[in-house]
Amino acid sequence: MSIFVRARFDVRDRRQDGAERSATALHEAAGPEPGCPTYRWFTLPAPGAYLVLEEYADPAAAAAPQENAAGLQTSLGRCADMAFAEMYGPLGPGRPETGG
């Protein structure tokens, strides 16, 4: 069963370029990741607001970006705040699915 993630990032003042560079690099890094059929960034109507939608084949695939792109995630964290993150799917073997 797939795991889906929906997260919103709000860019801090005057850090738009850095946030966009980090988001682009994260997108490029996720593209070749096995088990990640969906990783898309969207701009929102609010200035400096972005939404990312991710899909992973299983918990191991969901953990891979944490290991492989930690530096890029840190760079994004210097430019933007995560307003929220929601995860849908199984937490792991023998655990119930989550709904947000």
Side-chain angles (χ1 to χ4, degrees):
M1 165 160 274
S2 292
I3 295 172
F4 299 90
V5 177
R6 182 176 80 107
R8 176 181 166 155
F9 292 88
D10 294 327
V11 176
R12 295 188 193 116
D13 291 339
R14 296 182 297 279
R15 298 203 178 180
Q16 188 79 24
D17 290 343
E20 288 186 6
R21 278 192 303 274
S22 295
T24 298
L26 283 164
H27 183 268
E28 290 171 356
E33 288 283 340
C36 182
T38 304
Y39 190 93
R40 297 185 59 195
W41 283 82
F42 300 90
T43 56
L44 298 175
Y50 294 89
L51 184 78
V52 62
L53 299 176
E54 306 169 38
E55 177 186 3
Y56 299 99
D58 53 40
Q66 305 304 317
E67 298 167 11
N68 300 337
L72 294 172
Q73 292 171 348
T74 299
S75 295
L76 179 62
R78 288 188 203 115
C79 303
D81 296 310
M82 184 183 295
F84 68 80
E86 299 173 333
M87 184 182 98
Y88 303 91
L91 292 171
R95 295 192 175 143
E97 292 182 15
T98 61

